[in-house]
């Protein structure tokens, strides 16, 4: 079956007696007559596969005929000549498998009919003021219609509570798309490694990454690429990418493409001149061991907490070994002294969003157990900020290694395994074929 019909049917079954209103994204103005590149709302896309703006999906399990209804833009020859083709109301039922389709302009008039008799309305209130006014007006109208029957919408709840648990477990189709996002991201990182040499600018490496993504069929990056030379690697969300790469420093690249709206999120760190110094190698070896120890914990029944603890333990041990921390392993972990060097979590869900839908802890504050079909990043790092009071030789070194890992029935599959990560593989590829067009 059409995967989107299957997802809608599963959601309809889980909201019996209720109703959901799920809007598409709207275009966002950039400046005079120009818009930011359109990116569909992830949940709307998950349930429809429809990539146009200005649409609303209504799921009404109790409706006698139309349980799954799409409001969308009508066909309009003049607008289509300027801005491109539209699916249109007439074709929506057949193409998208919804029960009915109406022009978006009829939403106000038709919505009350779908809300009558529903207890909970799943709608993301507060995300869009203009849309909220229409939905609340429809709710008031539905109340007037149903007063005599005594049942009306009593609660508005976030659709995330019902959709996010579905989005957390990826289907085989989604995993296939994420594999292709991982493959194209790998091409970008490898091309960037091959081209790297001292005196290039960070933005030139960014251009190489993004050329490969676009050339491979991705419409954009999944988030702003971090291309951080030298000390910039110790700024966690550095993304200005304007500085020159200096001989003897490391380059940290955190970048992934978005393929058919699915993200990849990969970090590799390599020496600008192709050879790790002794200090860089010492830090890199610890982060690599933490990355591998974390990935080994990605198994059904374990949790994000298990792999964070494995990464923290490995990093703390390593920092003690090289003299950046003093004292016992347990004491450094208990007092969280490692946080001077490793101050972020070890991973997050990955899917349609780079920080994907899904909870990390349940209502009792227990970590959510990993299950087959979940995809998580594993991304430990060590950042020796220049203002720390520590051994000067390590200052300014920042290393992170981030992979995208699928939980399988009997363990895991690292979707980004093929992207060079071991020191010998990195040293063999960096600078091997400088990109001819950059001088
Ligand atoms: N690139 C964002 C992250 O690693 O979470
Ligand atoms: Mn990342
Ligand atoms: Mn990440």
């Amino acid at each position: 079956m059409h995967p989107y019909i299957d997802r809608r049917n599963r959601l309809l079954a889980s909201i019996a007696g209720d109703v959901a209103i799920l809007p598409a994204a709207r275009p966002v103005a950039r400046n005079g007559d120009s818009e930011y590149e359109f990116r569909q709302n992830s949940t709307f896309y998950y349930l429809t596969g429809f990539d146009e703006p200005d649409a609303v999906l209504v799921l009404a399990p109790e409706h006698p005929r139309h349980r799954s209804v799409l409001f969308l833009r009508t066909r309009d020859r003049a607008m289509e000549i300027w801005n491109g083709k539209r699916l249109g109301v007439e074709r929506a039922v057949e193409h998208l498998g919804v029960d009915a389709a109406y022009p978006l302009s009829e939403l106000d008039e038709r919505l009350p009919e779908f809300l009558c008799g529903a207890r909970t309305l799943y709608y993301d209130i507060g995300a869009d003021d203009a849309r909220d006014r229409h939905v609340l007006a429809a709710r008031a109208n539905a109340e007037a219609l149903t007063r005599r029957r005594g049942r009306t919408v009593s609660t508005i709840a976030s659709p995330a509570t019902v959709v996010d648990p579905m989005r957390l477990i990826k289907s085989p189709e989604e995993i296939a798309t994420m594999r292709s996002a991982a493959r194209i991201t790998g091409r970008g990182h490898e091309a960037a490694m091959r081209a790297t040499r001292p005196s290039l600018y960070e933005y030139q490496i960014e251009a190489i990454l993004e050329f490969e993504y676009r050339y491979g069929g991705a419409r954009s990056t999944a988030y702003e690429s971090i291309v951080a030379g030298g000390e910039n690697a110790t700024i966690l969300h550095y993304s200005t990418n304007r500085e020159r790469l200096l001989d003897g420093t490391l380059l940290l690249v955190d970048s992934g493409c978005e393929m058919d709206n699915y993200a990849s999120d990969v970090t590799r760190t390599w020496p600008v001149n192709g050879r790790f110094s002794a200090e860089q190698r010492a830090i890199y070896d610890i982060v690599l061991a933490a990355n591998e120890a974390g990935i080994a914990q990605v198994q059904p029944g374990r949790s994000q907490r298990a792999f964070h603890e494995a990464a923290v333990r490995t990093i703390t041990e390593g920092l003690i070994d090289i003299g950046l921390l003093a004292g016992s392993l347990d004491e450094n972990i208990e007092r969280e002294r490692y946080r001077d060097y490793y101050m972020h979590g070890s991973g997050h869900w990955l899917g349609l969003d780079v920080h994907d839908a899904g909870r990390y802890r349940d209502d009792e504050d227990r970590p959510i157990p990993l299950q087959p079909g979940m995809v998580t990043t594993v991304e430990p790092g060590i950042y020796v900020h220049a203002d720390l009071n520590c051994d000067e030789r390590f200052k300014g070194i920042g290393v992170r290694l981030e992979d995208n890992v699928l939980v399988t029935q009997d363990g895991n599959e690292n979707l980004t395994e093929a992207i060079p990560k071991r020191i010998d593989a990195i040293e063999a590829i960096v600078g091997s074929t400088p990109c001819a067009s950059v001088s």
Side-chain angles (χ1 to χ4, degrees):
M1 198 197 299
H2 195 320
Y4 305 103
I5 297 179
D6 175 51
R7 289 174 200 160
R8 288 197 297 269
N9 285 342
R10 284 194 285 133
L11 183 54
L12 281 159
S14 77
I15 61 167
D18 303 326
V19 66
I21 299 176
L22 302 150
R26 287 186 196 270
V28 181
R30 186 165 187 267
N31 51 37
D33 292 339
S34 167
E35 291 169 352
Y36 285 103
E37 188 171 24
F38 178 72
R39 169 56 160 79
Q40 188 55 283
N41 173 281
S42 295
T43 287
F44 180 88
Y45 187 79
Y46 180 75
L47 293 167
T48 61
F50 185 46
D51 221 1
E52 287 187 20
D54 298 322
V56 176
L57 176 69
V58 177
L59 296 179
E62 308 308 327
H63 194 277
R65 281 161 300 136
H66 299 150
R67 297 173 356 123
S68 165
V69 178
L70 190 67
F71 292 85
L72 71 165
R73 303 183 302 187
T74 52
R75 307 236 17 220
D76 177 324
R77 186 163 183 275
M79 292 304 286
E80 291 185 58
I81 286 172
W82 284 94
N83 297 325
K85 291 201 163 82
R86 297 176 172 187
L87 179 65
V89 174
E90 302 73 15
R91 293 186 290 188
V93 170
E94 187 195 334
H95 277 246
L96 303 174
V98 289
D99 299 330
Y102 301 109
L104 185 61
S105 57
E106 294 180 15
L107 183 69
D108 286 353
E109 175 197 329
R110 294 186 181 274
L111 200 49
E113 169 194 341
F114 293 98
L115 297 184
C116 281
R119 281 178 309 234
T120 297
L121 165 59
Y122 289 100
Y123 172 69
D124 197 6
I125 199 151
D128 180 335
D129 289 349
R131 179 87 68 219
D132 289 355
R133 281 196 295 279
H134 292 278
V135 170
L136 293 174
R139 179 195 178 192
N141 288 338
E143 251 170 54
L145 289 173
T146 51
R147 200 168 290 142
R148 293 206 185 112
R149 283 191 272 150
R151 190 164 114 181
T152 187
V153 169
S154 53
T155 313
I156 298 183
S158 168
T161 57
V162 282
V163 182
D164 289 9
M166 293 173 61
R167 283 180 51 188
L168 189 49
I169 310 289
K170 274 67 183 174
S171 67
E173 293 92 348
E174 292 181 286
I175 292 165
T177 307
M178 293 185 75
R179 267 205 190 92
S180 84
R183 192 176 62 252
I184 300 303
T185 294
R187 280 194 208 154
H189 280 250
E190 288 185 21
M193 288 173 188
R194 283 194 294 271
T196 298
R197 61 185 188 277
S199 90
L200 283 186
Y201 285 89
E202 292 165 341
Y203 57 79
Q204 292 179 306
I205 298 298
E206 183 179 18
I208 291 165
L209 290 158
E210 296 184 10
F211 167 82
E212 291 292 343
Y213 299 166
R214 292 253 176 182
Y215 194 81
R219 203 164 60 185
S220 71
T221 57
Y223 54 93
E224 274 197 291
S225 297
I226 296 169
V227 181
E231 275 184 40
N232 294 334
T234 65
I235 303 168
L236 297 181
H237 288 163
Y238 178 81
S239 61
T240 41
N241 303 348
R242 304 308 295 168
E243 291 189 23
R244 225 172 182 148
L245 302 180
L246 303 178
D247 198 359
T249 63
L250 292 178
L251 171 62
L252 182 154
V253 169
D254 181 346
S255 174
C257 74
E258 185 173 272
M259 185 63 88
D260 295 336
N261 289 332
Y262 283 81
S264 71
D265 179 7
V266 173
T267 310
R268 291 291 185 263
T269 309
W270 60 85
V272 165
N273 65 14
R275 289 283 168 271
F276 286 89
S277 71
E279 292 76 21
Q280 291 165 352
R281 180 182 290 259
I283 299 276
Y284 192 95
D285 279 340
I286 301 169
V287 177
L288 180 58
N291 166 281
E292 288 171 346
I295 292 173
Q297 292 297 318
V298 179
Q299 297 188 30
R302 308 233 174 128
S303 67
Q304 296 247 356
R305 189 166 74 184
F307 70 74
H308 183 58
E309 284 173 359
V312 161
R313 179 159 284 266
T314 309
I315 283 175
T316 309
E317 256 167 9
L319 290 172
I320 294 169
D321 283 348
I322 63 171
L324 283 175
L325 288 176
S328 77
L329 177 61
D330 289 342
E331 186 193 352
N332 277 293
I333 291 176
E334 202 173 304
R335 302 204 171 174
E336 299 190 348
R337 294 222 184 90
Y338 60 85
R339 289 185 66 86
D340 282 347
Y341 302 98
Y342 180 37
M343 59 298 277
H344 58 77
S346 296
H348 50 83
W349 308 130
L350 185 72
L352 283 163
D353 297 343
V354 61
H355 287 195
D356 203 33
R359 299 178 64 179
Y360 294 90
R361 292 183 164 269
D362 66 16
D363 288 340
E364 275 74 51
D365 206 31
R366 289 176 305 224
I368 301 280
L370 296 174
Q371 290 175 52
M374 291 178 172
V375 180
T376 181
T377 66
V378 177
E379 51 178 303
I382 292 179
Y383 314 92
V384 190
H385 212 272
D387 65 8
L388 285 172
N389 183 15
C390 70
D391 187 337
E392 292 290 326
R393 292 173 305 149
F394 293 104
K395 285 192 174 179
I397 296 179
V399 175
R400 178 164 64 254
L401 294 171
E402 176 172 25
D403 284 291
N404 302 166
V405 186
L406 167 70
V407 184
T408 59
Q409 294 294 340
D410 52 3
N412 69 62
E413 178 190 338
N414 181 356
L415 303 178
T416 49
E417 175 78 25
I419 307 175
K421 189 166 67 172
R422 288 178 32 171
I423 283 195
D424 52 353
I426 294 276
E427 289 192 336
I429 189 171
V430 172
S432 57
T433 52
C435 178
S437 65
V438 287
S439 58

